[in-house]
């Protein structure tokens, strides 16, 4: 090994050392604790008993656990509902952000920066406060219902809050900036002479969109989808505030297991499962965009 | 009467600048391009060349006037419904598609079946010297090869007209020269009309059947390359195409006298009034001191050897700049004047071109 190569390595070790240490202590450590906990049996008053107990995972899938209940697919249902809500959130944020990204990318620099500023503005106030404003708007005596009744569109207040719809609305509200940034980055990069070339070669607007614009902005869409889907799946603040007790998602379920039900092993198992799903998704994303990375054509 | 493929009829376009003014990019342009013609639009940057091309391809909506392609009114047709294809300056190849997919795009869009498409893509790529490259991605090609793919892609659907917007400006000099010849050959083989945009006058003269010199959104002159060079219609054309020595003055029969008292002989009997005489640098030759041919005496400021010629930069006694080009085979003569730093530059009066005087 040359001395230069050695110095490089030493430098790298010094630079990466603190981060590696931090991750090892505060990420891998707790993760190991959770994995172990998920295979133990719950203590009577919370905590764990140090006995091997593999049923936590079976219970998620609904298989009867002699200590608790008979076959019950409730957790699968919650899991599926969470997947559905997260997917709908991705779709809805995409439907909002994709066209908006095109509009904003065509503005002059000044208006562009102003719009980007507006999009980051929500980060300056507390998420909880902003979500409670939605409660005020959506509740039976809230602004939305008052407007609907006042204009005579409905005669009795609608059930707006504590529904799947309210959760998706809240999720979209929370996650729009997360979708917007990667989508905007890819739209901004789009080379419009390629669009012209396509039109010039006889492709109409729709075909040009499908064959040129969509594939070239796909990396941004995929990035946004992953960045929104993963936290949306495990999110518990939005369903807690806008879903009330009626609509439960994985995040709330896990929280409930740790706090109310005091079943730490089951909560750990649930958390492990959510993490597995996320890791699989991330892995797919990395593999797909990594393959694209080897492709000299897109320049990624 | 020649067969017209494109006709512009008083085509006009103005743009608003951010400062609130308007720029006239096309000033009521009339243009007629014949079938199988190689027409070049030549002009300085910002004179409206790209705007004119885009008006034909459909990316610029005219403020006034009409565009006919092969007799059909195209003024309000979108680009994707015009029988015209473009070779873009930066090639504009689709980065996510292979060379084959790029080349076959127009056919794919037109619904040509796969088998025929594959065959025609192969043919088109062979035509531009890229056979067997179907599977590559554009990024894996050199600039010259990308240029060829762009060309193959634009001609594959046999448009009635091919538009080329400074297609060679990104290539290095040698490649550019060989591409010039190839383009010309290709145009001949295909029998498609080309409208070629360049700001390089050499390129324009080399390749074109006719050249349209543009300035300020107007066609200053539309002629064969030789007529553009030998008989420019105004001083803009004379100075933009080739180097020139211009002498403004009062023309008389066979003689033009400038304000600073120089007398230039010319071949036009019966010329009168204000005019400008044009002498190209290569029309000068070095005369002996006792020679009686019409000539200008200059003090030489610089003598530059450029390979095939010497360029002489001189000044007359009244301080007027004169450029002359002397073939390098006359180097013995040049050696002489290098010593004296003075030269008598003679010219043939019959070759002197008279421009009409222009309103200042
Ligand atoms: N989209 C546009 N908006 C405003 N001005 C434009 C636009 N396109 C061209 N122009 C102006 O019109 C004139 C002609 O431009 P262009 O046709 O691109 O010139 P060229 O191709 O000869 O360099 C220039 O002054 C340019 O600034
Ligand atoms: Mg241009």
């Amino acid at each position: 090994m040359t001395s230069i190569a050695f110095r490089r390595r030493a430098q790298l070790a010094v630079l990466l050392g603190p981060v590696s240490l931090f991750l090892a202590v505060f990420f891998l450590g707790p993760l190991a604790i959770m994995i172990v906990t998920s295979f133990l049996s719950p203590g009577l008053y919370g905590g764990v008993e140090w006995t091997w107990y593999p049923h936590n995972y079976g219970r998620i899938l609904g298989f009867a656990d002699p200590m608790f209940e008979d076959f019950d697919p409730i957790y699968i249902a919650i899991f599926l509902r969470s997947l559905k809500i997260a997917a709908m959130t991705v779709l809805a944020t995409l439907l909002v952000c994709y066209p908006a990204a095109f509009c904003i990318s065509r503005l002059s620099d000044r208006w562009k920066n102003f719009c980007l500023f507006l999009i980051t503005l929500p980060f300056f106030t507390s998420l909880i406060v902003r979500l409670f404003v939605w409660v005020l708007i959506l509740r039976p005596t809230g602004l939305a219902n008052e407007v609907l009744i006042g204009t005579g569109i409905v005669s009795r207040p609608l059930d707006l809050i504590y529904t799947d719809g309210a959760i998706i609305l809240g999720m979209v509200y929370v996650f729009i900036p997360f979708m917007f940034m990667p989508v905007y980055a890819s739209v901004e990069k789009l080379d419009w002479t390629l669009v012209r070339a396509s039109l010039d070669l006889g492709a109409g607007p729709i075909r040009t969109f499908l064959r040129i614009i969509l594939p070239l902005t796909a990396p941004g869409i995929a990035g946004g989808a992953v960045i929104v889907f993963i936290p949306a799946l495990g999110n518990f603040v939005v369903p807690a505030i806008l879903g009330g007790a009626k609509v439960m998602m994985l995040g709330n379920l896990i929280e409930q297991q740790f706090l109310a039900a005091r079943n730490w092993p089951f909560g750990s198992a649930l958390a492990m499962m959510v993490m597995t799903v996320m890791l699989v998704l991330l892995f797919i994303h990395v593999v797909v965009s990594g393959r694209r990375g080897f492709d000299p054509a897109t320049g990624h | 009467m020649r067969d017209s493929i494109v006709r512009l009829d008083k085509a006009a376009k103005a743009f608003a600048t951010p400062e609130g003014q308007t720029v006239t990019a096309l000033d009521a342009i009339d243009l007629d391009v014949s079938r199988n013609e190689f027409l070049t639009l030549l002009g300085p940057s910002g004179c409206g060349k790209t705007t004119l091309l885009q008006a034909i391809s459909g990316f610029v909506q005219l403020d006034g006037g009409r565009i006919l392609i092969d007799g059909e009114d195209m003024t309000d047709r979108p680009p994707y419904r015009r029988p015209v294809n473009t070779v873009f300056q930066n090639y504009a190849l689709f980065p996510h598609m292979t060379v084959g997919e790029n080349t076959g795009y127009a056919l794919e869009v037109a619904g040509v079946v796969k088998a025929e498409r594959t065959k025609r893509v192969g043919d088109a790529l062979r035509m531009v010297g890229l056979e067997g490259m179907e599977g590559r991605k554009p990024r894996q090609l050199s600039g010259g090869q990308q240029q060829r793919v762009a060309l193959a892609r634009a001609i594959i659907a046999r448009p009635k007209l091919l538009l080329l917007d400074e297609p060679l400006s990104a290539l290095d000099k040698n490649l550019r020269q060989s591409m010039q010849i190839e383009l010309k050959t290709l145009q001949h083989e295909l029998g498609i009309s080309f409208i070629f945009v360049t700001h390089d006058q050499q390129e324009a003269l080399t390749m074109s059947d006719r050249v349209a010199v543009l300035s300020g959104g107007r066609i200053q002159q539309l002629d064969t390359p030789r007529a553009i060079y030998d008989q420019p219609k105004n001083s803009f054309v004379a100075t933009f195409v080739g180097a020139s020595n211009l002498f403004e003055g009062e023309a008389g029969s066979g003689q033009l006298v400038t304000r600073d008292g120089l007398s230039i002989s010319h071949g036009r009997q019966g010329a009168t009034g204000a005019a400008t005489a044009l002498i190209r640098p290569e029309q000068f030759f070095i005369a002996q001191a006792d020679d009686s041919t019409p000539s200008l005496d200059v003090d030489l400021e610089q003598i530059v050897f450029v390979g095939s010629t010497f360029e002489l930069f001189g000044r007359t006694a009244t301080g007027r700049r004169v450029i002359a080009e002397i073939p390098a085979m006359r180097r013995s003569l040049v050696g002489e004047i290098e010593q004296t730093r003075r030269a008598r530059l003679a010219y043939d009066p019959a070759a002197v071109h008279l421009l009409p005087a222009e309103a200042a």
Side-chain angles (χ1 to χ4, degrees):
Chain A
M1 191 193 294
T2 67
S3 71
I4 290 180
F6 177 75
R7 282 216 340 241
R8 278 264 171 80
R9 293 214 178 166
Q11 275 174 356
L12 210 60
V14 169
L15 289 174
L16 289 180
V19 173
S20 311
L21 195 69
F22 183 90
L23 283 179
V25 173
F26 294 103
F27 180 73
L28 293 179
L31 187 64
I33 294 174
M34 251 190 13
I35 293 176
V36 172
T37 307
S38 70
F39 287 102
L40 300 176
S41 62
L44 263 185
Y45 307 103
V48 293
E49 302 223 336
W50 282 89
T51 48
W52 171 252
Y53 183 75
H55 299 290
N56 292 315
Y57 288 97
R59 193 177 165 207
I60 298 174
L61 298 175
F63 296 118
D65 165 5
M67 265 181 71
F68 290 92
E69 61 273 301
D70 291 336
F71 177 79
D72 184 358
I74 172 95
Y75 303 115
I76 291 185
I78 292 176
F79 185 69
L80 290 180
R81 170 192 287 143
S82 299
L83 281 180
K84 186 190 86 180
I85 289 179
M88 303 265 293
T89 304
V90 167
L91 203 64
T93 49
L94 183 61
L95 285 178
V96 174
C97 294
Y98 198 50
F102 281 95
C103 296
I104 293 176
S105 74
R106 313 223 73 181
L107 296 175
S108 70
D109 279 353
R110 239 170 102 190
W111 284 106
K112 220 185 259 183
N113 287 334
F114 183 66
C115 288
L116 295 181
F117 169 71
L118 286 185
I119 283 162
T120 53
L121 202 57
F123 290 118
F124 292 104
T125 45
S126 152
L127 174 64
I128 309 286
V129 171
R130 284 183 285 132
L131 283 175
F132 271 111
V133 172
W134 279 108
V135 174
L136 297 183
I137 294 173
L138 294 177
R139 66 185 175 176
T141 56
L143 185 66
N145 270 314
E146 277 183 7
V147 169
L148 287 175
I149 292 169
T151 53
I153 294 173
V154 298
S155 54
R156 295 198 297 124
L158 298 176
D159 276 337
L160 296 176
I161 200 166
Y162 310 140
T163 59
D164 279 11
I167 294 184
I168 292 173
L169 181 72
M171 291 276 211
V172 168
Y173 173 70
V174 170
F175 287 114
I176 270 186
F178 295 83
M179 178 60 88
F180 184 82
M181 287 307 169
V183 165
Y184 178 74
S186 70
V187 167
E188 171 88 304
K189 263 205 330 246
L190 182 69
D191 179 358
W192 285 92
T193 57
L194 299 179
V195 173
R196 287 198 168 170
S198 171
L199 293 170
D200 187 77
L201 291 164
I206 294 171
R207 195 190 281 263
T208 296
F209 177 75
L210 294 176
R211 274 305 257 135
I212 308 295
I213 298 177
L214 198 56
L216 288 177
T217 53
I221 295 175
V226 168
I227 285 180
V228 170
F229 188 85
I230 288 177
L233 187 64
N235 190 288
F236 80 96
V237 181
V238 176
I241 295 177
L242 293 175
K246 288 204 308 201
V247 188
M248 193 178 273
M249 284 179 66
L250 278 173
N252 313 91
L253 181 62
I254 293 169
E255 180 227 31
Q256 195 190 57
Q257 292 307 317
F258 275 98
L259 300 181
R262 302 188 69 73
N263 187 343
W264 295 4
F266 186 54
S268 300
L270 284 166
M272 289 308 301
M273 206 183 73
V274 173
M275 211 173 86
T276 308
V277 172
M278 291 175 180
L279 282 179
V280 168
L281 276 176
L282 265 181
F283 182 74
I284 293 172
H285 180 67
V286 168
V287 167
V288 170
S289 57
R291 212 179 47 213
R292 199 179 285 124
F294 283 113
D295 180 351
T298 53
H300 290 293
Chain B
M1 164 126 193
R2 285 196 292 188
D3 196 2
S4 162
I5 194 82
V6 194
R7 169 169 294 150
L8 271 73
D9 183 14
K10 304 240 174 334
K13 180 71 186 176
F15 291 108
T17 64
E19 296 83 42
Q21 290 154 337
T22 55
V23 181
T24 308
L26 302 179
D27 192 356
I29 286 201
D30 289 323
L31 181 65
D32 224 325
V33 184
S34 326
R35 207 173 288 277
N36 207 359
E37 178 173 16
F38 197 120
L39 180 96
T40 296
L41 303 178
L42 174 67
S45 183
C47 70
K49 305 182 295 288
T50 297
T51 308
L52 182 53
L53 275 201
Q54 291 187 344
I56 297 171
S57 57
F59 293 108
V60 160
Q61 279 287 303
L62 291 181
D63 299 336
R66 290 189 318 147
I67 290 176
L68 284 84
I69 298 177
D70 208 9
E72 268 187 275
D73 193 327
M74 296 276 160
T75 316
D76 297 317
R77 275 216 206 166
Y80 50 93
R81 292 187 49 229
R82 297 191 186 198
V84 171
N85 286 145
T86 305
V87 177
F88 292 85
Q89 181 172 4
N90 58 357
Y91 319 137
L93 298 179
F94 306 128
H96 57 301
M97 297 185 195
T98 62
V99 166
E101 287 166 333
N102 264 286
T103 309
Y105 190 75
L107 299 182
E108 177 201 320
V109 164
V112 174
V113 293
K114 186 88 190 273
E116 193 195 334
R117 213 159 71 207
T118 310
K119 185 185 158 296
R120 283 173 68 181
V121 165
D123 290 345
L125 287 178
R126 188 162 330 112
M127 230 170 173
V128 297
L130 289 179
E131 48 195 321
M133 297 250 192
E134 281 91 340
R136 298 237 196 139
K137 284 289 180 72
R139 284 286 160 94
Q140 295 167 308
L141 302 180
S142 70
Q145 289 172 325
Q146 291 185 30
Q147 175 64 73
R148 287 155 197 265
V149 176
L151 197 58
R153 183 178 72 173
I155 58 173
I156 198 166
R158 296 292 163 125
K160 293 184 172 168
L161 176 69
L162 189 68
L163 307 175
L164 304 100
D165 194 352
E166 309 207 19
L168 306 182
S169 61
L171 304 179
D172 63 59
K173 195 171 171 236
N174 287 333
L175 193 52
R176 201 162 68 215
Q177 281 175 347
S178 66
M179 279 300 286
Q180 286 173 2
I181 295 164
E182 276 184 49
L183 266 180
K184 183 73 193 143
T185 314
L186 190 69
Q187 188 258 340
H188 204 72
E189 280 171 16
L190 289 170
I192 297 175
S193 304
F194 278 29
I195 299 186
F196 182 92
V197 163
T198 184
H199 59 257
D200 180 340
Q201 40 116 352
Q202 201 59 53
E203 201 164 276
L205 296 180
T206 314
M207 301 175 74
S208 327
D209 295 324
R210 283 192 304 162
V211 178
V213 181
L214 261 76
S215 164
R218 251 184 246 174
I219 295 181
Q220 302 291 336
Q221 187 168 358
L222 175 58
D223 250 319
T224 63
R226 282 189 198 184
I228 294 270
Y229 191 79
D230 293 338
Q231 290 124 33
K233 279 195 178 144
N234 56 35
S235 60
F236 175 81
V237 177
T239 47
F240 193 75
V241 181
S244 54
N245 297 292
L246 292 177
F247 304 90
E248 302 108 43
E250 267 319 301
S253 193
Q255 202 81 354
L256 176 138
V257 181
T258 64
R259 206 169 302 142
D260 52 348
L262 279 178
S263 164
I264 306 289
S265 304
H266 59 80
R268 282 257 293 280
Q269 304 304 318
T272 51
T276 303
L278 164 68
I279 305 179
R280 296 285 185 194
E282 69 276 9
Q283 288 169 354
F284 284 119
F285 52 93
I286 296 174
Q288 303 302 328
D290 54 359
D291 218 325
S292 64
T293 45
S295 60
L296 294 170
D297 287 320
V298 295
D299 290 321
L300 291 173
E301 292 182 332
Q302 267 195 68
I303 300 173
V304 181
F305 178 57
V306 292
S308 56
T309 57
F310 286 97
E311 287 185 357
L312 310 184
F313 294 86
R315 262 181 208 278
T316 63
T318 52
R320 186 187 283 271
R321 284 171 195 280
V322 177
I323 310 174
E325 235 175 70
I326 308 297
M329 57 184 189
R330 306 245 163 172
R331 51 185 80 210
S332 62
L333 281 175
V334 172
E336 209 170 287
I337 59 175
E338 238 170 350
Q339 298 295 316
T340 60
R341 290 264 142 195
R342 286 191 49 79
R344 170 161 286 190
L345 299 174
Y347 56 91
D348 174 8
V352 174
H353 177 63
L354 276 195
L355 304 171
E358 282 154 59

